[in-house]
Amino acid sequence: MRLLIVDDEVDLSESLRRGLINEGFVVDVANDGVTGAWLAHENPYDVIVLDLMLPGKNGYTILKEIRAEKNWTPVLMLTAKDGEYDEADAFDLGADDYLTKPFSFMVLVARLRALMRRGAPERPVNITVGSLELDPTRHKVTRGDAVIELTAKEYVILQYLMQNADTVVSKLQIMDNAWDAAFEGSENIVEVYVGYLRKKIDVPFGLNTLQTVRGMGYRLVADTPAP
């Protein structure tokens, strides 16, 4: 049971290290973000305990780098920041648990053991259509080396189209997937968002992958040069 603690409070880190060793853990400690990121990259851990506010490189950055490397080691965020947006951001970036300071040592141990029993979960597989790739874990869309910034609605529509690549989907099907039942607008809203998507995923790259099938709907295909 090997874990990594990345926290810049030296006294707290040492206290945790001693206590966790007594609980049967093998513990590595880093007191800055750069060292913590390097250790996480170089060594296999069962759990990583990661503070948010760190010198050199903050916890959000380290978490993003870990997940970008397809490293799914469970991460428990340990921080003095208790805002709901901070917690939401941590989970969005791929954290598995979140504990605010001050905390009970026994609660920490219980959560660590729970994460270890759960193990590194299998994460969503990226969806690829030609050079277009969607990463469900990080809500990130790229075409080649270019990152494509999408709104939440654009992302949901693109994900649905990519999941049904090479298949014609109707406006109604897109609406059922991207809007809730309370939406009372026209199906023409789909045309608007398809236009937004084309300007982001096709036009800058000289492609025509998000195609209109007249009278039927839309189809997303692999890289096709624009006429």
Side-chain angles (χ1 to χ4, degrees), residues 200-218:
K200 294 183 177 183
I201 70 170
D202 276 349
V203 174
F205 307 96
L207 296 173
N208 178 34
T209 64
L210 180 43
Q211 301 174 352
T212 299
V213 181
R214 193 173 301 277
M216 297 181 67
Y218 303 97

Side-chain angles (χ1 to χ4, degrees), residues 131-133 140-149 205:
S131 62
L132 189 66
E133 184 171 10
K140 181 178 180 181
V141 176
T142 56
R143 191 179 282 285
D145 295 328
V147 177
I148 301 173
E149 299 293 339
F205 307 96

Side-chain angles (χ1 to χ4, degrees), residues 5-6 11 16 26 42 53 55 62 68 70 96 103 133 148 164 183:
I5 298 173
V6 187
D11 290 342
L16 290 178
V26 176
E42 292 294 320
M53 307 306 292
I62 296 172
K70 303 296 186 292
D96 298 273
F103 58 88
E133 184 171 10
I148 301 173
N164 294 276
F183 180 72

Side-chain angles (χ1 to χ4, degrees), residues 192-206:
V192 174
Y193 276 93
V194 166
Y196 293 157
L197 280 172
R198 283 192 177 120
K199 290 178 181 178
K200 294 183 177 183
I201 70 170
D202 276 349
V203 174
F205 307 96

Side-chain angles (χ1 to χ4, degrees), residues 5-207:
I5 298 173
V6 187
D7 195 301
D8 62 337
E9 295 185 45
V10 176
D11 290 342
L12 174 62
S13 298
E14 179 58 22
S15 175
L16 290 178
R17 188 187 69 83
R18 291 197 303 267
L20 289 169
I21 287 174
N22 289 336
E23 292 290 332
F25 294 90
V26 176
V27 184
D28 292 337
V29 173
N31 295 126
D32 65 86
V34 174
T35 303
W38 182 81
L39 287 172
H41 175 75
E42 292 294 320
N43 301 297
Y45 292 103
D46 294 297
V47 179
I48 297 173
V49 179
L50 182 61
D51 193 10
L52 279 183
M53 307 306 292
L54 294 163
K57 186 178 289 188
N58 66 42
Y60 287 130
T61 300
I62 296 172
L63 182 56
K64 288 173 66 176
E65 291 178 355
I66 289 172
R67 297 308 186 223
E69 294 173 354
K70 303 296 186 292
N71 180 344
W72 308 124
T73 300
V75 173
L76 185 149
M77 304 301 289
L78 185 64
T79 176
K81 301 184 70 175
D82 60 356
E84 60 183 15
Y85 290 106
D86 298 309
E87 186 173 350
D89 286 343
F91 284 122
D92 281 344
L93 289 171
D96 298 273
D97 202 353
Y98 190 100
L99 190 60
T100 56
K101 303 174 183 177
F103 58 88
S104 161
F105 176 74
M106 294 312 299
V107 169
L108 173 64
V109 171
R111 292 196 179 191
L112 291 175
R113 293 195 188 283
L115 288 174
M116 288 183 174
R117 286 194 299 271
R118 193 184 313 163
E122 183 178 345
R123 302 288 170 154
V125 177
N126 290 6
I127 307 171
T128 302
V129 180
S131 62
L132 189 66
E133 184 171 10
L134 183 146
D135 183 343
T137 302
R138 295 181 292 158
H139 281 232
K140 181 178 180 181
V141 176
T142 56
R143 191 179 282 285
D145 295 328
V147 177
I148 301 173
E149 299 293 339
L150 300 179
T151 66
K153 188 66 70 180
E154 291 165 353
Y155 178 90
V156 170
I157 294 172
L158 179 62
Q159 184 176 31
Y160 179 70
L161 290 166
M162 293 182 72
Q163 289 170 334
N164 294 276
D166 296 318
T167 301
V168 177
V169 293
S170 67
K171 290 181 183 179
L172 183 58
Q173 286 175 306
I174 294 173
M175 288 190 70
D176 286 344
N177 183 79
W179 279 269
D180 61 38
F183 180 72
E184 297 180 350
S186 166
E187 290 183 9
N188 291 335
I189 191 66
V190 175
E191 294 181 23
V192 174
Y193 276 93
V194 166
Y196 293 157
L197 280 172
R198 283 192 177 120
K199 290 178 181 178
K200 294 183 177 183
I201 70 170
D202 276 349
V203 174
F205 307 96
L207 296 173

